[in-house]
Amino acid sequence: MSLSRPIAARPQPARIARWLLLVAFMVFAMVVVGGITRLTESGLSMVRWEPISGIVPPLNAAQWHAEFDAYKATPEYLKINRGMSLDEFKGIFFWEYLHRVIGRLIGIVFALPLAWFAWKRMIPRGYGPRLILLLALGGLQGAIGWWMVASGLIDRPDVSHIRLAVHLLTALLILAALVWTALDLFDLQRNPDARPARLTGIAALAFLVLFVQLMLGAFTAGLDAGYAFAEWPTMGGRLFPEGVAFLKPLWVNLVDNPIVVQFVHRWFAWVAAAILLSLAWAAHKAGVKGPVHAIATFLILQIGLGIATLLTGVDIHVAVAHQAVGALLVASTAWTAQRLGKARRA
């Protein structure tokens, strides 16, 4: 039997695009489960990073007790959860385990078809490097996830909010890139001479302000800043609360001061909304329809859910919905930006 490489097949842009959208859906699911993991404080329940063997959960009482004993040595257990029962531990272990399993499945669902498409020479010219970069970003994301978890296993009972933000933003960057690349490939299927859509100035600005807002949201979650004031639009009955102890130097408050972070996250949302609506308007003038409606809808939902998250004292269902819609807003921004870039290139 010959193992020689097959003769080059005809490129399959639409087939590859559908595969990328499947991976994008899985990334979206992982972002949602990641939000649940964070809100249930489950992220530090698995104290080892075992990319291969870690896919097998504890299967008997002895293995469960071994996992629980390892967790008992962590700062989170010693300072917060001391006295937790084994059944309670299993509850938090489930979400972190599910989060990691989805990550591994994404890697498999991306890497194996990519290798097959490459072997069959089905990848259109110019798209191979982009797909390899996406694969590399996925691998990096796994390492970032462990880097984040490791920050809560030494001398603090929670993960670094900065590393949490890096982890979330990398996932959303991958999501946006998957959507954009899939749309470029659908265009190529319709027109073999189509070139990839270009990133316009308004789209670049929209991505920038949206990711800053999402970073502030991750800081808010990581610092538990959302619990500080269950009211809106005021904080403690004022636009900005009294008696706030500021950190030095002053800029550090934008990163490490929970009150300042929540305040900025509240009001920078309107800057992000204005820029995103400007992107939608530019796309509308260029004749783009569906993506414009999507970005407007998710923007309204996201603002409403953000306010509701505060007013409900960070109810887990509302907060998870807030993170989920944030991911959908990223995807719809990528959709709108790609269609605008395509319209302006035409």
Side-chain angles (χ1 to χ4, degrees):
M1 182 177 66
S2 175
L3 295 179
S4 60
R5 191 170 184 180
I7 298 173
R10 182 180 179 182
Q12 301 284 333
R15 187 176 179 183
I16 296 174
R18 288 191 291 270
W19 158 63
L20 291 178
L21 290 181
L22 170 63
V23 177
F25 176 78
M26 295 179 70
V27 172
F28 168 74
M30 189 170 185
V31 169
V32 173
V33 172
I36 298 172
T37 301
R38 170 60 193 162
L39 288 162
T40 55
E41 298 185 350
S42 304
L44 296 176
S45 58
M46 297 179 70
V47 301
R48 292 181 292 272
W49 189 37
E50 299 167 331
I52 305 300
S53 61
I55 199 168
V56 181
L59 299 175
N60 54 50
Q63 291 176 351
W64 273 114
H65 281 288
E67 286 287 346
F68 193 23
D69 287 341
Y71 175 68
K72 287 180 178 179
T74 66
E76 182 177 75
Y77 177 84
L78 295 172
K79 297 180 181 180
I80 298 176
N81 289 334
R82 186 184 292 272
M84 170 183 278
S85 69
L86 178 59
D87 285 341
E88 290 172 328
F89 171 70
K90 289 180 179 180
I92 63 172
F93 184 93
F94 168 79
W95 288 112
E96 176 63 10
Y97 172 74
L98 179 61
H99 187 56
R100 296 193 189 191
V101 167
I102 293 174
R104 290 175 173 87
L105 288 176
I106 291 172
I108 293 170
V109 171
F110 194 93
L112 293 184
L114 176 60
W116 173 256
F117 288 134
W119 175 257
K120 291 291 188 179
R121 301 183 184 180
M122 293 180 179
I123 299 174
R125 184 182 301 275
Y127 283 86
R130 198 192 305 194
L131 296 175
I132 292 173
L133 178 59
L134 282 169
L135 178 64
L137 278 174
L140 176 64
Q141 174 70 337
I144 291 172
W146 175 247
W147 175 64
M148 177 189 70
V149 170
S151 67
L153 298 177
I154 301 174
D155 56 5
R156 52 183 293 170
D158 52 9
V159 301
S160 162
H161 61 288
I162 296 174
R163 298 187 187 188
L164 173 68
V166 173
H167 189 48
L168 175 63
L169 293 180
T170 303
L172 295 174
L173 173 63
I174 292 171
L175 176 62
L178 287 167
V179 170
W180 188 297
T181 302
L183 292 170
D184 276 347
L185 287 165
F186 279 129
D187 288 336
L188 188 63
Q189 180 72 31
R190 288 187 289 268
N191 177 10
D193 296 323
R195 298 170 61 190
R198 66 184 183 89
L199 181 67
T200 63
I202 184 61
L205 180 59
F207 276 122
L208 176 62
V209 297
L210 177 57
F211 274 77
V212 168
Q213 177 65 1
L214 292 166
M215 177 185 70
L216 290 167
F219 288 170
T220 300
L223 293 167
D224 291 328
Y227 296 97
F229 295 95
E231 58 184 289
W232 190 89
T234 59
M235 300 173 70
R238 299 168 61 91
L239 181 63
F240 188 83
E242 292 183 295
V244 177
F246 289 99
L247 305 174
K248 294 182 180 180
L250 195 60
W251 68 266
V252 173
N253 291 278
L254 294 172
V255 178
D256 294 331
N257 189 321
I259 305 302
V260 175
V261 167
Q262 189 196 127
F263 175 81
V264 177
H265 184 53
R266 285 176 175 225
W267 299 110
F268 190 77
W270 301 102
V271 176
I275 300 301
L276 288 170
L277 289 175
S278 297
L279 170 65
W281 179 248
H284 174 74
K285 289 195 298 182
V288 177
K289 301 298 182 184
V292 170
H293 297 151
I295 200 171
T297 299
F298 289 130
L299 181 59
I300 292 169
L301 278 175
Q302 184 68 343
I303 291 173
L305 285 167
I307 295 171
T309 299
L310 292 172
L311 295 179
T312 59
V314 194
D315 175 84
I316 185 170
H317 301 92
V318 179
V320 169
H322 186 48
Q323 179 153 322
V325 174
L328 292 174
L329 185 57
V330 169
S332 62
T333 300
W335 184 17
T336 305
Q338 195 275 346
R339 301 322 293 168
L340 175 61
K342 184 67 181 177
R344 290 192 174 174
R345 182 178 284 281

mmCIF file of all heavy atoms in Angstrom, residues 278-326:
data_model
loop_
_atom_site.group_PDB
_atom_site.id
_atom_site.type_symbol
_atom_site.label_atom_id
_atom_site.label_comp_id
_atom_site.label_asym_id
_atom_site.label_seq_id
_atom_site.Cartn_x
_atom_site.Cartn_y
_atom_site.Cartn_z
ATOM 1 N N SER A 278 -21.251 53.210 15.474
ATOM 2 C CA SER A 278 -20.629 53.878 14.321
ATOM 3 C C SER A 278 -20.190 52.849 13.279
ATOM 4 O O SER A 278 -20.339 53.079 12.065
ATOM 5 C CB SER A 278 -19.426 54.705 14.781
ATOM 6 O OG SER A 278 -19.826 55.742 15.653
ATOM 7 N N LEU A 279 -19.644 51.724 13.760
ATOM 8 C CA LEU A 279 -19.288 50.645 12.841
ATOM 9 C C LEU A 279 -20.532 50.125 12.133
ATOM 10 O O LEU A 279 -20.524 49.919 10.906
ATOM 11 C CB LEU A 279 -18.604 49.507 13.611
ATOM 12 C CG LEU A 279 -18.387 48.200 12.843
ATOM 13 C CD1 LEU A 279 -17.420 48.414 11.687
ATOM 14 C CD2 LEU A 279 -17.885 47.098 13.775
ATOM 15 N N ALA A 280 -21.605 49.915 12.890
ATOM 16 C CA ALA A 280 -22.848 49.421 12.302
ATOM 17 C C ALA A 280 -23.395 50.400 11.266
ATOM 18 O O ALA A 280 -23.879 49.987 10.199
ATOM 19 C CB ALA A 280 -23.881 49.169 13.402
ATOM 20 N N TRP A 281 -23.309 51.689 11.555
ATOM 21 C CA TRP A 281 -23.805 52.698 10.624
ATOM 22 C C TRP A 281 -22.978 52.722 9.341
ATOM 23 O O TRP A 281 -23.529 52.825 8.240
ATOM 24 C CB TRP A 281 -23.806 54.066 11.294
ATOM 25 C CG TRP A 281 -24.285 55.181 10.404
ATOM 26 C CD1 TRP A 281 -23.553 56.218 9.910
ATOM 27 C CD2 TRP A 281 -25.605 55.346 9.878
ATOM 28 N NE1 TRP A 281 -24.319 57.026 9.103
ATOM 29 C CE2 TRP A 281 -25.599 56.519 9.074
ATOM 30 C CE3 TRP A 281 -26.792 54.630 10.016
ATOM 31 C CZ2 TRP A 281 -26.730 56.975 8.411
ATOM 32 C CZ3 TRP A 281 -27.924 55.093 9.354
ATOM 33 C CH2 TRP A 281 -27.887 56.260 8.566
ATOM 34 N N ALA A 282 -21.656 52.605 9.496
ATOM 35 C CA ALA A 282 -20.788 52.573 8.317
ATOM 36 C C ALA A 282 -21.109 51.360 7.453
ATOM 37 O O ALA A 282 -21.136 51.445 6.213
ATOM 38 C CB ALA A 282 -19.321 52.553 8.750
ATOM 39 N N ALA A 283 -21.349 50.211 8.103
ATOM 40 C CA ALA A 283 -21.691 49.007 7.362
ATOM 41 C C ALA A 283 -23.055 49.149 6.680
ATOM 42 O O ALA A 283 -23.246 48.726 5.532
ATOM 43 C CB ALA A 283 -21.690 47.793 8.294
ATOM 44 N N HIS A 284 -23.993 49.770 7.387
ATOM 45 C CA HIS A 284 -25.323 49.998 6.815
ATOM 46 C C HIS A 284 -25.229 50.863 5.554
ATOM 47 O O HIS A 284 -25.877 50.572 4.531
ATOM 48 C CB HIS A 284 -26.221 50.660 7.859
ATOM 49 C CG HIS A 284 -27.566 51.069 7.332
ATOM 50 N ND1 HIS A 284 -28.574 50.161 7.063
ATOM 51 C CD2 HIS A 284 -28.072 52.299 7.005
ATOM 52 C CE1 HIS A 284 -29.630 50.794 6.608
ATOM 53 N NE2 HIS A 284 -29.362 52.089 6.553
ATOM 54 N N LYS A 285 -24.431 51.915 5.610
ATOM 55 C CA LYS A 285 -24.277 52.785 4.444
ATOM 56 C C LYS A 285 -23.618 52.051 3.280
ATOM 57 O O LYS A 285 -23.823 52.425 2.116
ATOM 58 C CB LYS A 285 -23.457 54.026 4.823
ATOM 59 C CG LYS A 285 -24.190 54.988 5.727
ATOM 60 C CD LYS A 285 -23.503 56.348 5.787
ATOM 61 C CE LYS A 285 -22.097 56.244 6.346
ATOM 62 N NZ LYS A 285 -21.451 57.582 6.447
ATOM 63 N N ALA A 286 -22.828 51.004 3.607
ATOM 64 C CA ALA A 286 -22.172 50.223 2.554
ATOM 65 C C ALA A 286 -23.071 49.117 2.011
ATOM 66 O O ALA A 286 -22.643 48.327 1.170
ATOM 67 C CB ALA A 286 -20.873 49.628 3.088
ATOM 68 N N GLY A 287 -24.310 49.062 2.519
ATOM 69 C CA GLY A 287 -25.258 48.077 2.011
ATOM 70 C C GLY A 287 -25.314 46.783 2.791
ATOM 71 O O GLY A 287 -25.974 45.826 2.384
ATOM 72 N N VAL A 288 -24.624 46.731 3.954
ATOM 73 C CA VAL A 288 -24.629 45.521 4.793
ATOM 74 C C VAL A 288 -25.873 45.536 5.670
ATOM 75 O O VAL A 288 -26.188 46.557 6.282
ATOM 76 C CB VAL A 288 -23.350 45.466 5.653
ATOM 77 C CG1 VAL A 288 -23.381 44.257 6.581
ATOM 78 C CG2 VAL A 288 -22.109 45.429 4.762
ATOM 79 N N LYS A 289 -26.584 44.405 5.769
ATOM 80 C CA LYS A 289 -27.846 44.382 6.514
ATOM 81 C C LYS A 289 -27.797 43.473 7.747
ATOM 82 O O LYS A 289 -27.822 43.933 8.879
ATOM 83 C CB LYS A 289 -28.986 43.932 5.592
ATOM 84 C CG LYS A 289 -29.175 44.822 4.361
ATOM 85 C CD LYS A 289 -29.546 46.251 4.742
ATOM 86 C CE LYS A 289 -29.773 47.095 3.488
ATOM 87 N NZ LYS A 289 -30.047 48.504 3.812
ATOM 88 N N GLY A 290 -27.740 42.150 7.540
ATOM 89 C CA GLY A 290 -27.837 41.188 8.637
ATOM 90 C C GLY A 290 -26.881 41.432 9.790
ATOM 91 O O GLY A 290 -27.302 41.494 10.961
ATOM 92 N N PRO A 291 -25.592 41.592 9.525
ATOM 93 C CA PRO A 291 -24.648 41.832 10.614
ATOM 94 C C PRO A 291 -24.953 43.100 11.406
ATOM 95 O O PRO A 291 -24.724 43.146 12.622
ATOM 96 C CB PRO A 291 -23.305 41.950 9.888
ATOM 97 C CG PRO A 291 -23.494 41.246 8.594
ATOM 98 C CD PRO A 291 -24.922 41.457 8.228
ATOM 99 N N VAL A 292 -25.455 44.110 10.741
ATOM 100 C CA VAL A 292 -25.786 45.364 11.419
ATOM 101 C C VAL A 292 -26.891 45.133 12.442
ATOM 102 O O VAL A 292 -26.830 45.617 13.576
ATOM 103 C CB VAL A 292 -26.209 46.433 10.394
ATOM 104 C CG1 VAL A 292 -26.790 47.647 11.098
ATOM 105 C CG2 VAL A 292 -25.020 46.825 9.529
ATOM 106 N N HIS A 293 -27.910 44.374 12.056
ATOM 107 C CA HIS A 293 -28.988 44.063 12.989
ATOM 108 C C HIS A 293 -28.470 43.245 14.167
ATOM 109 O O HIS A 293 -28.874 43.443 15.314
ATOM 110 C CB HIS A 293 -30.095 43.288 12.266
ATOM 111 C CG HIS A 293 -30.737 44.071 11.172
ATOM 112 N ND1 HIS A 293 -31.300 43.482 10.053
ATOM 113 C CD2 HIS A 293 -30.899 45.414 11.001
ATOM 114 C CE1 HIS A 293 -31.784 44.416 9.255
ATOM 115 N NE2 HIS A 293 -31.544 45.593 9.804
ATOM 116 N N ALA A 294 -27.546 42.310 13.891
ATOM 117 C CA ALA A 294 -26.993 41.465 14.952
ATOM 118 C C ALA A 294 -26.205 42.297 15.964
ATOM 119 O O ALA A 294 -26.371 42.145 17.178
ATOM 120 C CB ALA A 294 -26.097 40.384 14.343
ATOM 121 N N ILE A 295 -25.348 43.185 15.474
ATOM 122 C CA ILE A 295 -24.524 43.959 16.383
ATOM 123 C C ILE A 295 -25.378 44.903 17.226
ATOM 124 O O ILE A 295 -25.135 45.080 18.432
ATOM 125 C CB ILE A 295 -23.420 44.723 15.606
ATOM 126 C CG1 ILE A 295 -22.280 45.118 16.543
ATOM 127 C CG2 ILE A 295 -23.950 45.958 14.916
ATOM 128 C CD1 ILE A 295 -21.068 45.682 15.814
ATOM 129 N N ALA A 296 -26.423 45.479 16.644
ATOM 130 C CA ALA A 296 -27.307 46.367 17.399
ATOM 131 C C ALA A 296 -28.087 45.592 18.460
ATOM 132 O O ALA A 296 -28.226 46.040 19.610
ATOM 133 C CB ALA A 296 -28.266 47.080 16.456
ATOM 134 N N THR A 297 -28.576 44.418 18.091
ATOM 135 C CA THR A 297 -29.347 43.599 19.035
ATOM 136 C C THR A 297 -28.498 43.160 20.217
ATOM 137 O O THR A 297 -28.902 43.293 21.386
ATOM 138 C CB THR A 297 -29.907 42.359 18.316
ATOM 139 O OG1 THR A 297 -30.773 42.776 17.261
ATOM 140 C CG2 THR A 297 -30.688 41.473 19.282
ATOM 141 N N PHE A 298 -27.316 42.615 19.934
ATOM 142 C CA PHE A 298 -26.465 42.123 21.020
ATOM 143 C C PHE A 298 -25.927 43.265 21.876
ATOM 144 O O PHE A 298 -25.696 43.087 23.084
ATOM 145 C CB PHE A 298 -25.320 41.275 20.460
ATOM 146 C CG PHE A 298 -25.769 39.946 19.919
ATOM 147 C CD1 PHE A 298 -25.375 39.528 18.656
ATOM 148 C CD2 PHE A 298 -26.599 39.119 20.658
ATOM 149 C CE1 PHE A 298 -25.794 38.299 18.146
ATOM 150 C CE2 PHE A 298 -27.026 37.893 20.160
ATOM 151 C CZ PHE A 298 -26.617 37.483 18.905
ATOM 152 N N LEU A 299 -25.739 44.433 21.277
ATOM 153 C CA LEU A 299 -25.281 45.584 22.043
ATOM 154 C C LEU A 299 -26.335 45.997 23.069
ATOM 155 O O LEU A 299 -26.026 46.233 24.246
ATOM 156 C CB LEU A 299 -24.956 46.743 21.104
ATOM 157 C CG LEU A 299 -24.446 48.032 21.752
ATOM 158 C CD1 LEU A 299 -23.178 47.769 22.540
ATOM 159 C CD2 LEU A 299 -24.209 49.089 20.687
ATOM 160 N N ILE A 300 -27.588 46.066 22.637
ATOM 161 C CA ILE A 300 -28.664 46.432 23.558
ATOM 162 C C ILE A 300 -28.804 45.388 24.663
ATOM 163 O O ILE A 300 -28.929 45.720 25.856
ATOM 164 C CB ILE A 300 -29.989 46.580 22.782
ATOM 165 C CG1 ILE A 300 -29.916 47.792 21.853
ATOM 166 C CG2 ILE A 300 -31.168 46.729 23.743
ATOM 167 C CD1 ILE A 300 -31.062 47.872 20.863
ATOM 168 N N LEU A 301 -28.753 44.110 24.277
ATOM 169 C CA LEU A 301 -28.837 43.037 25.268
ATOM 170 C C LEU A 301 -27.692 43.108 26.268
ATOM 171 O O LEU A 301 -27.886 42.929 27.480
ATOM 172 C CB LEU A 301 -28.822 41.678 24.566
ATOM 173 C CG LEU A 301 -30.136 41.161 23.991
ATOM 174 C CD1 LEU A 301 -29.891 39.870 23.228
ATOM 175 C CD2 LEU A 301 -31.150 40.933 25.101
ATOM 176 N N GLN A 302 -26.498 43.374 25.775
ATOM 177 C CA GLN A 302 -25.318 43.383 26.645
ATOM 178 C C GLN A 302 -25.391 44.502 27.670
ATOM 179 O O GLN A 302 -25.055 44.302 28.844
ATOM 180 C CB GLN A 302 -24.047 43.510 25.791
ATOM 181 C CG GLN A 302 -22.743 43.446 26.573
ATOM 182 C CD GLN A 302 -22.480 42.069 27.176
ATOM 183 O OE1 GLN A 302 -23.361 41.232 27.288
ATOM 184 N NE2 GLN A 302 -21.245 41.851 27.594
ATOM 185 N N ILE A 303 -25.833 45.673 27.253
ATOM 186 C CA ILE A 303 -25.958 46.783 28.202
ATOM 187 C C ILE A 303 -27.031 46.460 29.240
ATOM 188 O O ILE A 303 -26.834 46.662 30.446
ATOM 189 C CB ILE A 303 -26.285 48.089 27.452
ATOM 190 C CG1 ILE A 303 -25.080 48.534 26.614
ATOM 191 C CG2 ILE A 303 -26.680 49.187 28.439
ATOM 192 C CD1 ILE A 303 -25.353 49.719 25.713
ATOM 193 N N GLY A 304 -28.160 45.927 28.782
ATOM 194 C CA GLY A 304 -29.223 45.570 29.717
ATOM 195 C C GLY A 304 -28.791 44.503 30.708
ATOM 196 O O GLY A 304 -29.091 44.597 31.913
ATOM 197 N N LEU A 305 -28.071 43.498 30.223
ATOM 198 C CA LEU A 305 -27.610 42.435 31.117
ATOM 199 C C LEU A 305 -26.535 42.932 32.082
ATOM 200 O O LEU A 305 -26.453 42.466 33.220
ATOM 201 C CB LEU A 305 -27.071 41.262 30.290
ATOM 202 C CG LEU A 305 -28.131 40.399 29.604
ATOM 203 C CD1 LEU A 305 -27.492 39.477 28.581
ATOM 204 C CD2 LEU A 305 -28.912 39.589 30.645
ATOM 205 N N GLY A 306 -25.704 43.879 31.630
ATOM 206 C CA GLY A 306 -24.708 44.451 32.529
ATOM 207 C C GLY A 306 -25.357 45.164 33.702
ATOM 208 O O GLY A 306 -24.955 44.999 34.863
ATOM 209 N N ILE A 307 -26.385 45.966 33.401
ATOM 210 C CA ILE A 307 -27.115 46.669 34.463
ATOM 211 C C ILE A 307 -27.821 45.666 35.367
ATOM 212 O O ILE A 307 -27.797 45.780 36.600
ATOM 213 C CB ILE A 307 -28.117 47.661 33.849
ATOM 214 C CG1 ILE A 307 -27.357 48.765 33.097
ATOM 215 C CG2 ILE A 307 -29.014 48.271 34.925
ATOM 216 C CD1 ILE A 307 -28.245 49.669 32.272
ATOM 217 N N ALA A 308 -28.447 44.644 34.757
ATOM 218 C CA ALA A 308 -29.158 43.628 35.536
ATOM 219 C C ALA A 308 -28.201 42.838 36.426
ATOM 220 O O ALA A 308 -28.564 42.455 37.551
ATOM 221 C CB ALA A 308 -29.904 42.680 34.604
ATOM 222 N N THR A 309 -26.984 42.603 35.950
ATOM 223 C CA THR A 309 -25.997 41.898 36.775
ATOM 224 C C THR A 309 -25.723 42.669 38.061
ATOM 225 O O THR A 309 -25.638 42.086 39.150
ATOM 226 C CB THR A 309 -24.693 41.694 35.987
ATOM 227 O OG1 THR A 309 -24.965 40.909 34.820
ATOM 228 C CG2 THR A 309 -23.650 40.980 36.833
ATOM 229 N N LEU A 310 -25.595 43.979 37.945
ATOM 230 C CA LEU A 310 -25.384 44.807 39.137
ATOM 231 C C LEU A 310 -26.608 44.789 40.050
ATOM 232 O O LEU A 310 -26.488 44.583 41.264
ATOM 233 C CB LEU A 310 -25.056 46.239 38.726
ATOM 234 C CG LEU A 310 -23.710 46.471 38.038
ATOM 235 C CD1 LEU A 310 -23.637 47.898 37.519
ATOM 236 C CD2 LEU A 310 -22.559 46.190 39.000
ATOM 237 N N LEU A 311 -27.775 45.020 39.469
ATOM 238 C CA LEU A 311 -28.990 45.157 40.271
ATOM 239 C C LEU A 311 -29.382 43.863 40.977
ATOM 240 O O LEU A 311 -30.044 43.897 42.019
ATOM 241 C CB LEU A 311 -30.146 45.641 39.393
ATOM 242 C CG LEU A 311 -29.993 47.041 38.795
ATOM 243 C CD1 LEU A 311 -31.194 47.392 37.922
ATOM 244 C CD2 LEU A 311 -29.814 48.094 39.892
ATOM 245 N N THR A 312 -28.989 42.725 40.434
ATOM 246 C CA THR A 312 -29.306 41.436 41.059
ATOM 247 C C THR A 312 -28.214 40.955 42.005
ATOM 248 O O THR A 312 -28.292 39.837 42.523
ATOM 249 C CB THR A 312 -29.530 40.356 39.984
ATOM 250 O OG1 THR A 312 -28.340 40.219 39.184
ATOM 251 C CG2 THR A 312 -30.716 40.694 39.097
ATOM 252 N N GLY A 313 -27.207 41.803 42.234
ATOM 253 C CA GLY A 313 -26.117 41.374 43.107
ATOM 254 C C GLY A 313 -25.285 40.272 42.496
ATOM 255 O O GLY A 313 -24.805 39.363 43.189
ATOM 256 N N VAL A 314 -25.106 40.320 41.192
ATOM 257 C CA VAL A 314 -24.348 39.335 40.419
ATOM 258 C C VAL A 314 -25.016 37.959 40.517
ATOM 259 O O VAL A 314 -24.383 36.974 40.920
ATOM 260 C CB VAL A 314 -22.866 39.270 40.835
ATOM 261 C CG1 VAL A 314 -22.054 38.494 39.797
ATOM 262 C CG2 VAL A 314 -22.279 40.665 40.988
ATOM 263 N N ASP A 315 -26.297 37.907 40.181
ATOM 264 C CA ASP A 315 -26.970 36.617 40.052
ATOM 265 C C ASP A 315 -26.249 35.795 38.988
ATOM 266 O O ASP A 315 -25.952 36.298 37.896
ATOM 267 C CB ASP A 315 -28.432 36.837 39.646
ATOM 268 C CG ASP A 315 -29.155 35.535 39.371
ATOM 269 O OD1 ASP A 315 -29.632 34.909 40.329
ATOM 270 O OD2 ASP A 315 -29.227 35.140 38.182
ATOM 271 N N ILE A 316 -25.978 34.538 39.272
ATOM 272 C CA ILE A 316 -25.130 33.739 38.395
ATOM 273 C C ILE A 316 -25.739 33.572 37.001
ATOM 274 O O ILE A 316 -25.025 33.622 35.996
ATOM 275 C CB ILE A 316 -24.820 32.364 39.026
ATOM 276 C CG1 ILE A 316 -23.818 31.600 38.144
ATOM 277 C CG2 ILE A 316 -26.090 31.560 39.255
ATOM 278 C CD1 ILE A 316 -23.276 30.349 38.792
ATOM 279 N N HIS A 317 -27.059 33.415 36.911
ATOM 280 C CA HIS A 317 -27.686 33.226 35.606
ATOM 281 C C HIS A 317 -27.573 34.497 34.754
ATOM 282 O O HIS A 317 -27.272 34.429 33.553
ATOM 283 C CB HIS A 317 -29.157 32.837 35.781
ATOM 284 C CG HIS A 317 -29.367 31.594 36.576
ATOM 285 N ND1 HIS A 317 -29.553 31.622 37.951
ATOM 286 C CD2 HIS A 317 -29.383 30.295 36.210
ATOM 287 C CE1 HIS A 317 -29.699 30.381 38.379
ATOM 288 N NE2 HIS A 317 -29.591 29.562 37.356
ATOM 289 N N VAL A 318 -27.793 35.646 35.389
ATOM 290 C CA VAL A 318 -27.691 36.909 34.668
ATOM 291 C C VAL A 318 -26.242 37.184 34.270
ATOM 292 O O VAL A 318 -25.957 37.612 33.144
ATOM 293 C CB VAL A 318 -28.248 38.067 35.517
ATOM 294 C CG1 VAL A 318 -28.123 39.391 34.773
ATOM 295 C CG2 VAL A 318 -29.701 37.810 35.891
ATOM 296 N N ALA A 319 -25.323 36.924 35.190
ATOM 297 C CA ALA A 319 -23.912 37.188 34.924
ATOM 298 C C ALA A 319 -23.370 36.295 33.811
ATOM 299 O O ALA A 319 -22.596 36.740 32.953
ATOM 300 C CB ALA A 319 -23.092 37.002 36.193
ATOM 301 N N VAL A 320 -23.778 35.025 33.801
ATOM 302 C CA VAL A 320 -23.346 34.118 32.726
ATOM 303 C C VAL A 320 -23.920 34.581 31.386
ATOM 304 O O VAL A 320 -23.226 34.567 30.361
ATOM 305 C CB VAL A 320 -23.762 32.667 33.036
ATOM 306 C CG1 VAL A 320 -23.559 31.775 31.813
ATOM 307 C CG2 VAL A 320 -22.959 32.130 34.209
ATOM 308 N N ALA A 321 -25.183 34.992 31.396
ATOM 309 C CA ALA A 321 -25.785 35.516 30.168
ATOM 310 C C ALA A 321 -25.031 36.754 29.684
ATOM 311 O O ALA A 321 -24.836 36.939 28.474
ATOM 312 C CB ALA A 321 -27.257 35.852 30.404
ATOM 313 N N HIS A 322 -24.574 37.587 30.616
ATOM 314 C CA HIS A 322 -23.802 38.788 30.280
ATOM 315 C C HIS A 322 -22.509 38.412 29.563
ATOM 316 O O HIS A 322 -22.143 39.014 28.542
ATOM 317 C CB HIS A 322 -23.515 39.561 31.564
ATOM 318 C CG HIS A 322 -22.844 40.881 31.370
ATOM 319 N ND1 HIS A 322 -23.268 41.813 30.452
ATOM 320 C CD2 HIS A 322 -21.765 41.440 31.999
ATOM 321 C CE1 HIS A 322 -22.493 42.886 30.511
ATOM 322 N NE2 HIS A 322 -21.573 42.671 31.433
ATOM 323 N N GLN A 323 -21.827 37.387 30.063
ATOM 324 C CA GLN A 323 -20.584 36.956 29.419
ATOM 325 C C GLN A 323 -20.875 36.303 28.068
ATOM 326 O O GLN A 323 -20.140 36.512 27.101
ATOM 327 C CB GLN A 323 -19.815 35.983 30.318
ATOM 328 C CG GLN A 323 -18.517 35.480 29.694
ATOM 329 C CD GLN A 323 -17.482 35.094 30.717
ATOM 330 O OE1 GLN A 323 -17.333 35.741 31.750
ATOM 331 N NE2 GLN A 323 -16.750 34.025 30.450
ATOM 332 N N ALA A 324 -21.951 35.526 27.999
ATOM 333 C CA ALA A 324 -22.298 34.856 26.739
ATOM 334 C C ALA A 324 -22.625 35.873 25.654
ATOM 335 O O ALA A 324 -22.149 35.752 24.514
ATOM 336 C CB ALA A 324 -23.484 33.914 26.960
ATOM 337 N N VAL A 325 -23.419 36.873 25.985
ATOM 338 C CA VAL A 325 -23.776 37.888 24.999
ATOM 339 C C VAL A 325 -22.545 38.715 24.624
ATOM 340 O O VAL A 325 -22.413 39.163 23.479
ATOM 341 C CB VAL A 325 -24.922 38.778 25.511
ATOM 342 C CG1 VAL A 325 -25.194 39.939 24.557
ATOM 343 C CG2 VAL A 325 -26.195 37.947 25.668
ATOM 344 N N GLY A 326 -21.622 38.907 25.574
ATOM 345 C CA GLY A 326 -20.374 39.587 25.240
ATOM 346 C C GLY A 326 -19.615 38.851 24.142
ATOM 347 O O GLY A 326 -19.081 39.470 23.215
#
